[in-house]
Amino acid sequence: MVKVGDIAPDFTAEDDTGVDFTLGSLRGRKVVLYFYPKDNTPGCTQEACDFRDHSPALSEKDSVVIGVSTDSVRSHRNFKSKYSLPFTLVADPGKEIVNKYGVWVEKKNYGRSYMGVARTTFVIDEEGVVERVFENVKVKGHAGAVLESL
């Protein structure tokens, strides 16, 4: 997994509008890059809505929120519209970004093993260096904790 002090791996992938988004284009601003398992699931919806609700305060800190999951562009577009999310969602159906960041992991649920996204948030500074990593994120209070860390 990408660690504090590492240069955040750059990537280019389609966003929720179907346009290529490049992480490196945000140099000069702080980036809250959060990885989540799936659009329209209870925990992921709560996390996205919490980031939405904290969006004005995050903007005051000159930071930008970017969400990444392995869902499709279409799924992201619908999720963003349904919950009025004011930030970019990046589609990673080929799992290239989640693998670069080390958040595509083996998970266990009711004795069954499967691969999935570990809910993780990276705070990246203006120079592209990872400043903070929130692993095994518990949704409740997470967006507020990220804001406090800025």
Side-chain angles (χ1 to χ4, degrees), residues 1-3 6-16 21-27 29-37 47-48 51 58 62-70 76 87-92 96-103 117-126 128-137 142-143 146-147 149-150:
M1 179 182 288
V2 173
K3 304 178 302 302
D6 289 350
I7 298 292
D10 200 8
F11 61 82
T12 298
E14 283 185 287
D15 67 14
D16 50 80
F21 167 84
T22 301
L23 180 64
S25 70
L26 297 175
R27 285 283 170 93
R29 297 185 73 191
K30 281 199 187 254
V31 177
V32 175
L33 181 66
Y34 84 97
F35 290 87
Y36 65 98
E47 185 177 23
F51 276 122
L58 289 161
D62 197 29
S63 64
V64 60
V65 174
I66 305 295
V68 180
S69 82
T70 58
H76 280 343
F87 49 82
T88 299
L89 299 177
V90 176
D92 186 24
E96 290 145 22
I97 304 165
V98 294
N99 278 309
K100 269 187 183 182
Y101 278 81
V103 299
V117 174
R119 192 181 305 276
T120 309
T121 300
F122 298 87
V123 177
I124 303 165
D125 74 11
E126 296 86 349
V129 177
V130 176
E131 203 171 72
R132 182 95 192 255
V133 179
F134 293 84
E135 295 181 62
N136 303 312
V137 167
H142 177 59
V146 170
L147 177 61
S149 79
L150 297 172

Side-chain angles (χ1 to χ4, degrees), residues 20 23 34 37 74 77 79-80 95 98 120 134 140 146:
D20 277 351
L23 180 64
Y34 84 97
R74 181 176 180 203
R77 184 179 303 121
F79 185 52
K80 184 174 180 171
K95 300 171 185 68
V98 294
T120 309
F134 293 84
K140 187 175 172 79
V146 170

Side-chain angles (χ1 to χ4, degrees), residues 36-47:
Y36 65 98
K38 190 151 185 58
D39 292 340
N40 291 302
T41 57
C44 297
T45 299
Q46 184 64 58
E47 185 177 23

